[in-house]
Amino acid sequence: MSQLIPLIAFAVFLVVGYISGSITERRHFASLREREADTRDMVVITFPTPPSDWTLHDPTLVCGSVVISLDYFKRFLAGLKTLVGGRITPYEPLLDRARREALMRMKQTARARGYATVINVRLETSCLSRASSEKSVAGVEVLAFGTAVNRGS
Amino acid sequence: MIVSNTETLPGHTITEFYGVVTGSTVRAKHIGRDFMAGLKNMVGGELKGYTELLQEAREEALSRMKAQAESMGANAVVNVRFSTSSISQGAAELFAYGTAVRVI
């Protein structure tokens, strides 16, 4: 019986991870869609030189960042999938969420300071490992940054 | 002090270049945050403790960069980039660099 305990704990972790992970993911995507619709009027571009008929002033750097982690179930699934190779599907929505959230926060920072345009936007992704064990990934960090500018004469 | 990641500052003209300015900070997460992150690692979702930690660290790096630019007599830093590197297990360096300039 006592040998079964780790196995049961593992099964519980998987189930808890699966349930809470899918709920968090669904909620996050819903909130992202809502906030993205809300900031659709903002102009966010990735090139440094906007159309020449724009007059820009008051440039300032704005950043947005987020650290997101996978749940236990998806991490286990990803571990299995790396054995066979190919698409590691559990990681794809994670990175998508992290990037969109970082961009969202950058836009919100810009908006809070009264800007509606952000130029030269860059995205950077890095992996955080846990201090306790080298192998396990604690999460991904995405940083979005750009130059907020005011348009108009 | 104007900071921007574009090469030129919209609405300003660069009159003088002072060269590269850098700012960095090395941070490690403390055990409480690591414990909470361990829990979050099971259920998934945002690791708020880490997000805040990295944000603070990045602001620190930026402010050191700005201080260096100021000491050179610059009034703006253009073409700012960020980079992150892990120094050892559990510690990371956050680094910001750019070109100090004088603008009018």
Side-chain angles (χ1 to χ4, degrees):
Chain A
M1 188 61 202
S2 61
Q3 291 104 311
L4 274 180
I5 291 170
L7 205 65
I8 293 169
F10 176 66
V12 169
F13 281 2
L14 279 188
V15 171
V16 169
Y18 178 72
I19 295 171
S20 60
S22 5
I23 294 173
T24 330
E25 186 176 296
R26 208 171 318 123
R27 278 199 195 144
H28 192 200
F29 273 125
S31 120
L32 275 174
R33 272 193 294 274
E34 196 182 300
R35 284 180 294 156
E36 275 167 2
D38 191 44
T39 53
R40 200 140 289 158
D41 56 317
M42 290 183 73
V43 179
V44 175
I45 55 180
T46 55
F47 43 88
T49 46
S52 55
D53 57 328
W54 289 11
T55 45
L56 303 175
H57 49 93
D58 297 332
T60 189
L61 190 75
V62 284
C63 300
S65 70
V66 69
V67 181
I68 302 192
S69 156
L70 273 185
D71 60 72
Y72 195 83
F73 174 77
K74 280 197 162 180
R75 190 171 305 115
F76 175 71
L77 200 68
L80 284 185
K81 287 208 168 181
T82 48
L83 292 178
V84 292
R87 264 178 84 176
I88 312 296
T89 42
Y91 277 113
E92 291 173 350
L94 178 82
L95 289 161
D96 184 36
R97 277 163 67 195
R99 295 220 170 91
R100 283 164 69 182
E101 182 67 39
L103 273 174
M104 203 57 240
R105 290 187 182 177
M106 185 198 71
K107 283 198 232 173
Q108 281 169 340
T109 312
R111 179 174 266 184
R113 293 191 197 166
Y115 289 99
T117 311
V118 185
I119 60 173
N120 206 19
V121 173
R122 296 287 178 267
L123 284 164
E124 270 185 36
T125 315
S126 54
C127 229
L128 299 180
S129 67
R130 276 165 75 180
S132 44
S133 62
E134 205 177 356
K135 269 189 196 167
S136 72
V137 175
V140 292
E141 196 221 1
V142 175
L143 165 71
F145 62 103
T147 301
V149 286
N150 268 326
R151 278 169 71 184
S153 52
Chain B
M1 179 69 60
I2 305 167
V3 180
S4 148
N5 75 330
T6 49
E7 284 160 37
T8 54
L9 280 182
H12 297 270
T13 320
I14 296 172
T15 53
E16 207 171 329
F17 288 91
Y18 296 94
V20 178
V21 281
T22 60
S24 82
T25 178
V26 179
R27 295 287 173 108
K29 42 206 187 245
H30 67 77
I31 204 126
R33 271 174 170 162
D34 214 31
F35 176 72
M36 280 309 288
L39 286 183
K40 267 291 175 96
N41 259 317
M42 193 168 94
V43 296
E46 185 184 350
L47 308 175
K48 287 210 176 70
Y50 287 178
T51 307
E52 281 162 22
L53 179 83
L54 289 166
Q55 235 161 29
E56 277 165 29
R58 207 162 271 128
E59 269 158 35
E60 170 88 44
L62 270 177
S63 73
R64 286 186 184 172
M65 185 192 74
K66 283 191 239 175
Q68 198 189 340
E70 219 163 62
S71 71
M72 286 170 153
N75 64 355
V77 184
V78 293
N79 216 2
V80 171
R81 311 275 168 85
F82 292 102
S83 98
T84 315
S85 46
S86 37
I87 298 293
S88 73
Q89 244 175 32
E93 189 207 21
L94 287 118
F95 180 54
Y97 62 106
T99 307
V101 293
R102 172 159 287 280
V103 295
I104 45 164

